[in-house]
Amino acid sequence: MTASRKRAKSRHVEVERIAVRVAIDGNVAGEATSDIAAYAFIHYASEFLEAGEHLPPSAAPFSSVRCYLACRPIELALKAFLSLKGASMADMAQHYGHSLVKLLAGAEQAGLDSVIALSPEEKQQIAAASSYYNEKVFEYPSIIEALHGYPDKPDVAMLMHTARSLVDTLHPLCLEA
């Protein structure tokens, strides 16, 4: 990657938290810090989820778009939670990338279960989707997977339900941050 490309990429993660001072008649009345990264992550998660929920049903046994639109909000919601717990965008990119399994493990280690307890079935479906999602099988055709009928495909309805639970639970927390 060229130096200019690295600078261009890193500029998107430069500002994650902002502090605002409130002054009344020249006297500082208070200061608030806001985690704008957490809010941005959950906002994007909401938009991807809404797009997935409004997608017309597919007659095909496998819908890559529906799978993608179920996984993307899960990734972003987990990143929102990790951001609330102090993880920077750069750290998340380095340690988790787009791996749903790694993100879930990191979020659980950071206390996700105290905010929302995902069922074993939900966790299993996240794990089933993770390799397809991380390897971009939902974004680009995988002929070998298609020939085998996507044997490890996840339950998209369960993923959508999980995404909705994460977004609905984390949204107010991210607004407060």
Side-chain angles (χ1 to χ4, degrees), residues 107-121:
E108 288 179 328
Q109 187 175 12
L112 181 68
D113 290 337
S114 69
V115 175
I116 180 172
L118 299 178
S119 72
E121 295 82 16

Side-chain angles (χ1 to χ4, degrees), residues 41-51 53 73 76 164 167-168 171:
F41 277 128
I42 206 68
H43 176 74
Y44 276 42
S46 296
E47 288 193 344
F48 278 104
L49 179 58
E50 287 176 26
E53 289 174 338
L76 295 170
R164 173 52 65 199
V167 167
D168 287 351
H171 193 268

Side-chain angles (χ1 to χ4, degrees), residues 19-32:
V20 177
R21 276 199 182 131
V22 177
I24 300 174
D25 296 329
N27 298 315
V28 176
E31 183 172 302

Side-chain angles (χ1 to χ4, degrees), residues 7-89:
R7 278 192 305 275
K9 188 174 183 180
S10 67
R11 72 182 164 92
H12 299 294
V13 297
E14 287 177 355
V15 178
E16 297 182 43
R17 290 171 179 78
I18 57 172
V20 177
R21 276 199 182 131
V22 177
I24 300 174
D25 296 329
N27 298 315
V28 176
E31 183 172 302
T33 301
S34 178
D35 186 336
I36 60 174
Y39 178 75
F41 277 128
I42 206 68
H43 176 74
Y44 276 42
S46 296
E47 288 193 344
F48 278 104
L49 179 58
E50 287 176 26
E53 289 174 338
H54 288 93
L55 191 65
S58 174
F62 175 77
S63 170
S64 63
V65 172
R66 189 173 302 284
C67 290
Y68 179 80
L69 290 174
C71 291
R72 188 68 171 160
I74 292 172
E75 174 191 358
L76 295 170
L78 293 172
K79 285 182 175 180
F81 179 77
L82 288 167
S83 180
L84 288 173
K85 295 299 181 175
S88 72
M89 292 169 82

Side-chain angles (χ1 to χ4, degrees), residues 45 97 126 155:
I126 290 172
D155 179 337

